[in-house]
Amino acid sequence: MYCTALMSCNAMHKSKIEELLAGQIRRKMAVDGGHGVGGCDWDGRWNHVTKFLERPGPFTHPDFEPSAESLQFLLETCKILVIGAGGLGCELLKNLALSGFRIIHVVDMDTIDLSNLNRQFLFRPKDVGRPKAEVAANFINSRIPGCKVASRKCFSKMHQRKFHIIVCGLDSIIARRWMNGMLISLLSYEDGVLDPSSIIPLIDGGTEGFKGNARVILPGMTACIDCTLELYPPQINFPMCTIASMPRLPEHCIEYARILQWPKEKPFGGNLDGDNPEHIEWVFERARKRAAEFNITGVTYRLTQGVVKRIIPAVASTNAVIAAACATEVFKIATSAYIPLNNYLVFNDVDGLYTYTFEAERKENCSACSQVPQDLQFPSSAKLQEVLQFLTESASLQMKSPAITTTLEGKNKTLYLQSVKSIEERTRPNLCKTLKELGLSDGQELAVADVTTPQTVLFKLNFTT
Ligand SMILES: [Zn+2]
């Protein structure tokens, strides 16, 4: 179990992976020994699961051998880490627990907000203000006998090694990339060959309004989050000319009030606070007047709040569909009973219902998983500012606040660092200097740290003429 699923995703190392992972799982099973949960497994409790695991079917994996062992593995040994206990996380925890997974850890740093309650169904009004992970874990444990969900507010590298599969239900691309980078950092290579026993599969779900996606990532083997970064477009902003002179959408009118009128009139002391109802009301009123001038309808208080706070409404049904797809993939990989998704599912029910799957391809020079040194092409007369701009604006890098260091005359030198105020002030003058003035040479290595990755990314500077 668990091994054949991986194998089907990459025929190349087929037998070797199967062998290694099978051994790995057997060892884990022997070591973990099982978590006796006596008494809670009444007759027929897992009938809905054994139907998939104890008999063959037209869709089972060609190498699958039906047995009672698979269910025991789920119940007693398989250890799942769920990242996020929000809209997707609540669904995921419920689905996994009802599918027979019992050793589940859930991580979320967030606390429960009143606005979560319409869809994050493990929370009640009395839970508002409490940590999401803890409340979600307690709810599942009290409702589903034998389930042992443990909650955490943060995670470290040590903890991840212990999990068989990781599922992400996050709303942040940065957190996703960080997690992706973390799993890649756990891979071990011997003479350039990936050791399959170091792979921890990552199932990632994401939703945005009526759109969603689910994907299966085998770090080091299949496309990772950073391989397909172009699929996540950076924040969309409306062109200023549209906002200023030819609005067509209610959003354009709200942006007009927010970007142009607010800074000019500076009401309430100047700073716009998206959580302050009076501020939203102010923007709403101005936006409504603007919309009336251009015969645009649809400016509401709610939309104003959404635009100001950059909120995309969460849709409970989208979360349910994506979480179900993710939980199914976890089940398939954990049991090897079915061939897992290869490797990306798109879901959209904005207008009718549309879904399809495709195989996202690995990017040969992916900055996260390729182990290929990253090239930076700049003339020696380029300023450091331009390099910084490239790191943040390039569609395939999309860094947030990169810190650039290098080695000059045998010494470590910070060229620019934004996150610490004193260092930022000290290194800011470097931004206006050319690469040549900074003493950098052709072939120079630049180490770049950023919140999007737990590991420093190495770049090789190539001077162009
Ligand atoms: Zn990659």
Side-chain angles (χ1 to χ4, degrees):
M1 57 199 71
Y2 174 84
C3 49
T4 45
L6 285 180
M7 180 189 80
S8 63
C9 290
N10 189 330
M12 215 162 61
H13 310 291
K14 192 170 169 170
S15 58
K16 202 171 174 205
I17 288 168
E18 183 178 15
E19 210 176 285
L20 277 161
L21 280 176
Q24 191 193 0
I25 294 291
R26 267 197 302 275
R27 275 195 304 281
K28 279 184 182 166
M29 288 179 84
V31 172
D32 290 359
H35 300 58
V37 284
C40 65
D41 284 332
W42 56 89
D43 256 5
R45 176 171 184 190
W46 299 108
N47 275 353
H48 62 295
V49 180
T50 54
K51 283 194 176 78
F52 292 105
L53 300 179
E54 294 179 14
R55 59 186 196 183
F59 301 109
T60 43
H61 194 289
D63 296 336
F64 174 65
E65 284 174 25
S67 83
E69 241 180 69
S70 294
L71 177 63
Q72 287 314 307
F73 175 69
L74 296 193
L75 294 176
E76 294 171 7
T77 311
C78 192
K79 212 167 167 184
I80 308 286
L81 175 62
V82 176
I83 316 249
L88 278 169
C90 284
E91 290 277 353
L92 277 168
L93 288 169
K94 174 259 291 170
N95 292 348
L96 292 170
L98 292 174
S99 307
F101 293 94
R102 274 180 172 160
I103 312 163
I104 304 172
H105 288 235
V106 57
V107 187
D108 200 310
M109 288 157 68
D110 229 359
T111 52
I112 298 161
D113 185 74
L114 184 68
S115 65
N116 300 145
L117 301 185
N118 72 329
R119 62 193 184 283
Q120 298 178 19
F121 53 83
L122 302 178
F123 311 140
R124 297 290 173 267
K126 66 173 168 41
D127 302 321
V128 169
R130 293 183 60 206
K132 283 188 177 180
E134 188 191 311
V135 175
N138 290 344
F139 191 106
I140 295 280
N141 291 341
S142 67
R143 192 71 169 252
I144 304 177
C147 206
K148 292 198 187 95
V149 184
S151 63
R152 300 169 188 278
K153 269 182 136 175
C154 61
F155 41 82
S156 70
K157 203 167 178 170
M158 279 309 291
H159 293 133
Q160 272 133 61
R161 262 189 213 285
K162 294 195 282 182
F163 294 99
H164 293 105
I165 302 170
I166 297 183
V167 208
C168 269
L170 291 163
D171 58 3
S172 145
I173 290 162
I174 295 179
R176 240 187 218 112
R177 290 176 70 186
W178 197 90
M179 195 63 218
N180 178 66
M182 175 58 79
L183 293 182
I184 289 163
S185 75
L186 295 177
L187 297 175
S188 58
Y189 290 85
E190 278 165 44
D191 301 326
V193 181
L194 177 61
D195 171 7
S197 69
S198 64
I199 298 173
I200 301 176
L202 171 67
I203 318 293
D204 179 57
T207 65
E208 211 177 74
F210 289 101
K211 299 175 196 165
N213 71 78
R215 57 192 296 189
V216 173
I217 297 170
L218 304 175
M221 283 178 76
T222 66
C224 80
I225 301 277
D226 282 56
C227 283
T228 55
L229 206 56
E230 279 97 341
L231 295 175
Y232 306 98
Q235 177 91 51
I236 299 165
N237 289 308
F238 300 112
M240 193 50 94
C241 56
T242 306
I243 295 170
S245 52
M246 40 176 189
R248 291 181 317 277
L249 300 172
E251 287 88 346
H252 294 153
C253 303
I254 297 165
E255 288 291 62
Y256 180 80
R258 184 183 76 89
I259 300 174
L260 297 170
Q261 291 181 296
W262 184 283
K264 212 164 152 192
E265 300 182 28
K266 292 192 177 62
F268 307 106
N271 279 334
L272 177 56
D273 174 5
D275 290 317
N276 186 327
E278 282 181 72
H279 291 197
I280 299 291
E281 190 65 41
W282 189 96
V283 176
F284 171 49
E285 282 308 323
R286 304 294 148 119
R288 204 156 60 167
K289 279 193 196 121
R290 173 99 176 146
E293 278 171 43
F294 288 88
N295 283 327
I296 295 168
T297 53
V299 174
T300 61
Y301 180 86
R302 220 182 138 85
L303 182 70
T304 307
Q305 200 180 26
V307 171
V308 171
K309 292 180 75 179
R310 308 258 157 198
I311 302 169
I312 293 161
V315 176
S317 58
T318 314
N319 283 339
V321 169
I322 295 303
C326 290
T328 308
E329 292 310 316
V330 175
F331 183 82
K332 281 151 74 174
I333 291 180
T335 62
S336 295
Y338 299 86
I339 296 169
L341 167 70
N342 186 24
N343 49 35
Y344 201 115
L345 168 112
V346 180
F347 174 83
N348 183 337
D349 61 353
V350 172
D351 188 10
L353 196 148
Y354 173 76
T355 173
Y356 91 115
T357 63
F358 67 96
E359 184 179 351
E361 283 179 20
R362 284 189 78 182
K363 201 172 133 195
E364 244 170 72
N365 60 343
C366 170
S367 64
C369 76
S370 72
Q371 296 199 298
V372 173
Q374 301 293 304
D375 276 336
L376 280 178
Q377 312 271 357
F378 281 96
S380 60
S381 60
K383 297 195 166 99
L384 188 64
Q385 175 74 55
E386 294 170 51
V387 176
L388 193 78
Q389 215 164 341
F390 175 79
L391 296 172
T392 52
E393 289 176 8
S394 146
S396 62
L397 294 171
Q398 297 186 34
M399 292 185 165
K400 297 300 160 195
S401 55
I404 311 173
T405 55
T406 192
T407 312
L408 279 176
E409 290 157 6
K411 279 186 198 151
N412 246 346
K413 188 179 174 188
T414 301
L415 296 174
Y416 186 66
L417 192 149
Q418 211 173 343
S419 53
V420 181
K421 197 168 170 260
S422 58
I423 306 181
E424 197 281 328
E425 281 166 6
R426 183 166 57 76
T427 55
R428 196 185 304 156
N430 286 345
L431 292 175
C432 308
K433 290 184 189 160
T434 67
L435 302 178
K436 199 176 165 191
E437 284 165 351
L438 287 165
L440 306 177
S441 47
D442 192 35
Q444 182 102 29
E445 271 198 353
L446 302 180
V448 180
D450 189 52
V451 289
T452 54
T453 166
Q455 283 179 305
T456 304
V457 185
L458 281 182
F459 288 91
K460 202 172 147 199
L461 194 57
N462 287 329
F463 282 163
T464 55
T465 40

